[in-house]
Amino acid sequence: MTVSALPPLAGLESARLDWRGDDTGESAPLSTQFDDVYFSRHDGRAETEHVFVQGNALPRRLAAWTARRPFVIGETGFGTGLNMLCAWACFDAHAPPGARLHLVSTERYPLRRDDQIRALAAWPDLAPRAERLVRQWPQPVAGVHRLWLDERVTLDLHFGDAAERLALLEGQVDAWFLDGFAPAKNPEMWRAELFAAMAARSRPGATFATFTCAGVVKRGLAGAGFAWRKVPGFGRKREMLAGEIASPPDDTRREQAPWFSPPPARPPHHVAVIGAGIAGASTAAALARRGIAVTLIDRFDRAELGTTHLQGALYVKLAVETNLQSRAYLAGLLHSRRWLEHLDPDRSLWQPSGVLQLALSEKEQVRQARFLANHCLPKSVVRGLDAEAASAAAGIRIDASALDYPDAAWIRPLALCVRLARTPGVSFRLGEVTALQRHEAGWTLALADGACVEADQVVIAAASEAARFAQTAALPLQPVRGQVSQLALPKGAPALGRVVCAGGYVPPPADGVLNFGATFGPGDTDTAEREADHAANLAELERGLPHFAAALREAGADLSPQRLTGRVGVRAASPDKSPYAGPVPDVAAWREDYAVLAKDATRVPNIAGRHHSGLWISAAHGSRGMASAPLCAELIASRICDEPLPLEWPLVDHLHPGRRVIRELVRRQ
């Protein structure tokens, strides 16, 4: 699938509701887009229980569920969320303690938060579940939005057309809720492409249930390979449909790129994660939440680094034209925002300050104007501000226009990593991994002190050192040195109301300290603090925020390089500036299997990509790791645990660590 085949970076139209009274005098939501009700207020839940829960035999199937992967339910039309909440309640009532549930639902017209609350208020016993759903309700942006309903239940909302979203789904489903407005009201959904996508994303024996017996539905299901039968319907509906698919069709999506075919999923008991920065710590926490024992290994203990007052920015810089990188980073930004709110609702580790990206040059002004013209994202995600509005948002005079990301944030990265490393199920081990050895039972990790760690699988998340191992040495990674400057503020000093980015970044002060920077030194691995870099950071502060710098001086701040402290970090970047997140390819095997691409890129061998079994990498996050690393952690953990993925499959392929190997082969033509 090409970039152009994906929907644009855009917000979605919200559902338009009319709250009409039914024959009991109670109001029920009606969609004005389709002139159809979401449910009947007095029997909507009973209908859901009959059609979808009992129609898929969920009580019996969930009670018998012993697999280490989650039971997966797919739905066409999330609506108010009633079906998913009932499935969750059924899971809690019947599933054994070790079971997990993964819900996947599509929605073209998401409800507004207030409408969601009102619609679900009819069932007080569902209120605790509804509150968790509403608290994480995502922005109306096309794409995948992952919500953590509780420790055992995950919901992926796929916003967009149902057939298109299921065609982009990377994952398999055990039971389908074939819902949506009636075929006569919404014929666009009930089309052949929908049923074909359902079949292709089904596990063998996957079931379905639907309220309708319309001929177009029966023909569509049969044409896609589902066996259907009529069963008693609910209430006045005499009949409904239920059935299953014995042998789903083969997945042909990667025929033109077989190297991205995923390795077989083998959920492990113990995983070693190398690197305790944001990439490694978030991956360790994601795996531990799934019941996997994790050993997190790093040569630095972030809990002993002291109070450095360091701040990081959760931000992205999206491209003017639609591309896969921008899609991945926007998904990461929205994901990290929900993830932080879920992880730390008290906001001790982060603050939702928003981020301003200044247009200091005419070139950047033109770029930002073109971006706003090309993408119709909600203003709650990104909006354009003139200099006056940017000044009001920042709380200090700004002489440039800007892009404003109201939902972005600043983060305490060291404290966040420490919190993640203390997730139950994660054990931290101080040490330096020097070599990896694969054996029949898993992996042996050799440490510099002579000790060894045994693990079923390994995730490498060691930033610029991720390519130091024999298995990853061929993956191109560039170290990038960055120095942040820190200024202790005098009393009465001005404070920013937003993180402000231009050539560098400046967040609002934390604990009386102003962080600003950072320098950018490709290929430089020296971690010693440099006065020249403090001077460079001061020059950038003066260039981007001259009035703020002047106000700091008026308040008594000493803006001289000699008086600043700071912190140096060495990040890692890939040649195309997108992260590596996925299984580690066997590069020698790829170069052999796909050597013909160097002569003719159109001759694609029918050979699935070979990988180092049980070896994964999350690296090359560069300066935007807060936006990319948590989502990549979920991506890797989901792949390891045989779950639906939190990104569309073209984005999963875009992040695959082997993409540069194929690019290098093709460029040899």
Side-chain angles (χ1 to χ4, degrees):
M1 182 172 289
T2 64
V3 176
S4 60
L6 288 166
L9 285 178
L12 297 180
E13 180 184 354
S14 296
R16 299 193 302 270
L17 304 186
D18 180 10
W19 295 86
R20 297 182 181 178
D22 58 17
D23 55 10
T24 67
E26 298 176 318
S27 61
L30 179 141
S31 167
T32 62
Q33 279 110 334
F34 298 101
D35 190 30
D36 201 359
V37 293
Y38 284 88
F39 54 77
S40 171
R41 177 67 79 182
H42 66 279
D43 61 7
R45 182 175 180 181
E47 182 176 24
T48 288
E49 296 281 357
H50 177 87
V51 174
F52 300 114
V53 175
Q54 298 298 332
N56 281 286
L58 292 187
R60 172 182 59 79
R61 295 169 72 188
L62 291 172
W65 191 254
T66 58
R68 299 197 65 220
R69 69 170 180 85
F71 187 91
V72 180
I73 297 174
E75 180 183 41
T76 60
F78 186 77
T80 64
L82 176 61
N83 294 344
M84 294 285 93
L85 294 185
C86 288
W88 178 10
C90 177
F91 172 82
D92 283 348
H94 297 282
R100 292 186 295 122
L101 177 66
H102 198 114
L103 306 169
V104 175
S105 186
T106 67
E107 181 53 59
R108 186 172 184 176
Y109 298 100
L111 267 66
R112 296 180 178 87
R113 188 187 300 264
D114 290 346
D115 287 332
Q116 196 95 41
I117 294 171
R118 182 176 178 183
L120 295 172
W123 299 285
D125 62 312
L126 290 178
R129 294 183 173 87
E131 192 275 333
R132 293 188 184 185
L133 167 67
V134 172
R135 187 195 315 152
Q136 299 180 65
W137 192 243
Q139 300 274 15
V141 175
V144 186
H145 306 272
R146 175 157 291 184
L147 283 62
W148 300 270
L149 299 181
D150 73 9
E151 293 303 313
R152 299 196 298 156
V153 182
T154 300
L155 167 64
D156 286 343
L157 288 169
H158 290 242
F159 281 173
D161 175 81
E164 292 176 359
R165 298 314 308 173
L166 292 182
L168 294 167
L169 170 64
E170 181 77 344
Q172 294 177 294
V173 171
D174 296 293
W176 290 99
F177 291 2
L178 186 48
D179 201 1
F181 297 110
K185 302 279 189 178
N186 184 19
E188 178 65 19
M189 191 195 87
W190 304 86
R191 62 187 195 268
E193 292 86 351
L194 173 71
F195 303 112
M198 286 175 54
R201 308 298 170 261
S202 294
R203 289 190 183 272
T207 63
F208 78 89
T210 181
F211 64 91
T212 181
C213 282
V216 66
V217 177
K218 291 184 287 189
R219 292 189 296 272
L221 286 166
F226 287 92
W228 58 264
R229 59 187 176 277
K230 292 182 179 180
V231 297
F234 177 79
R236 298 176 183 177
K237 290 187 66 68
R238 188 166 57 90
E239 294 175 322
M240 55 175 262
L241 297 179
E244 57 281 317
I245 185 167
S247 300
D250 293 335
D251 188 348
T252 61
R253 292 176 297 181
R254 291 185 172 83
E255 287 181 347
Q256 297 305 310
W259 37 85
F260 292 141
S261 299
R266 298 184 179 90
H269 293 278
H270 177 218
V271 174
V273 177
I274 304 171
I278 185 60
S282 58
T283 301
L287 291 167
R289 288 197 307 270
R290 290 161 168 83
I292 296 171
V294 179
T295 300
L296 181 62
I297 307 170
D298 200 300
R299 57 196 181 98
F300 298 112
D301 185 352
R302 282 158 177 79
E304 296 180 355
L305 291 178
T307 55
T308 64
H309 308 289
L310 192 65
Q311 294 170 273
L314 170 60
Y315 79 104
V316 295
K317 187 173 184 178
L318 303 177
V320 169
E321 305 295 337
T322 297
N323 62 36
L324 293 172
Q325 183 183 82
S326 281
R327 293 178 187 282
Y329 272 115
L330 177 60
L333 173 68
L334 300 175
H335 176 94
S336 289
R337 182 63 170 79
R338 290 191 306 277
W339 176 74
L340 286 166
E341 194 75 67
H342 177 74
L343 176 71
D344 180 32
D346 296 332
R347 300 178 178 176
S348 62
L349 303 174
W350 66 289
Q351 288 295 317
S353 60
V355 171
L356 285 174
Q357 289 182 345
L358 303 185
L360 298 181
S361 66
E362 183 178 352
K363 180 180 178 180
E364 179 61 14
Q365 291 169 12
V366 171
R367 193 197 77 83
Q368 292 190 6
R370 290 179 58 209
F371 171 83
L372 292 170
N374 286 353
H375 305 296
C376 299
L377 290 164
K379 290 185 177 180
S380 56
V381 175
V382 60
R383 59 182 178 169
L385 299 181
D386 60 20
E388 182 179 355
S391 299
I396 195 76
R397 180 181 163 189
I398 290 176
D399 295 329
S401 60
L403 290 180
D404 182 35
Y405 291 81
D407 232 12
W410 65 261
I411 301 169
R412 301 179 190 269
L414 293 177
L416 175 60
C417 291
V418 170
R419 170 79 67 87
L420 294 169
R422 290 172 177 167
T423 301
V426 177
S427 300
F428 178 78
R429 176 155 185 169
L430 191 65
E432 181 179 1
V433 180
T434 57
L436 300 171
Q437 181 65 47
R438 172 71 186 169
H439 51 81
E440 185 175 347
W443 289 86
T444 297
L445 293 77
L447 273 60
D449 62 4
C452 291
V453 173
E454 303 289 335
D456 302 329
Q457 298 189 31
V458 176
V459 180
I460 300 171
S464 61
E465 297 182 0
R468 67 184 298 183
F469 304 104
Q471 296 83 355
T472 55
L475 297 181
L477 271 175
Q478 182 183 47
V480 180
R481 180 187 181 278
Q483 180 171 313
V484 173
S485 299
Q486 296 179 318
L487 172 68
L489 295 175
K491 291 184 178 180
L496 294 171
R498 285 275 200 276
V499 177
V500 179
C501 297
Y505 78 101
V506 189
D511 308 318
V513 174
L514 183 72
N515 287 269
F516 58 100
T519 57
F520 182 78
D524 191 344
T525 59
D526 179 22
T527 58
E529 196 175 328
R530 299 172 186 167
E531 185 177 309
D533 281 11
H534 287 316
N537 286 336
L538 283 167
E540 183 60 38
L541 179 67
E542 294 275 8
R543 186 178 80 93
L545 293 169
H547 303 288
F548 180 57
L552 289 173
R553 289 192 181 91
E554 290 177 9
D558 186 350
L559 297 186
S560 57
Q562 301 86 353
R563 299 300 299 272
L564 298 178
T565 59
R567 182 170 173 81
V568 177
V570 180
R571 305 183 182 98
S574 67
D576 59 14
K577 302 302 184 288
S578 287
Y580 295 138
V584 175
D586 184 334
V587 175
W590 280 38
R591 288 172 175 165
E592 176 184 342
D593 292 342
Y594 308 122
V596 68
L597 296 176
K599 299 179 180 179
D600 183 354
T602 66
R603 293 175 58 190
V604 178
N606 185 23
I607 304 172
R610 288 188 273 174
H611 299 84
H612 293 285
S613 180
L615 185 63
W616 309 81
I617 188 170
S618 177
H621 295 283
S623 62
R624 292 175 284 181
M626 290 299 171
S628 59
L631 179 56
C632 289
E634 281 294 303
L635 171 63
I636 290 171
S638 296
R639 183 69 93 187
I640 287 175
C641 295
D642 198 12
E643 303 170 358
L645 302 191
L647 280 170
E648 300 93 331
W649 70 264
L651 298 185
V652 174
D653 289 356
H654 172 73
L655 297 173
H656 194 291
R659 65 184 185 270
R660 301 300 302 184
V661 180
I662 299 301
R663 178 179 172 85
E664 289 169 5
L665 286 171
V666 171
R667 291 183 68 178
R668 291 178 189 173
Q669 291 184 87

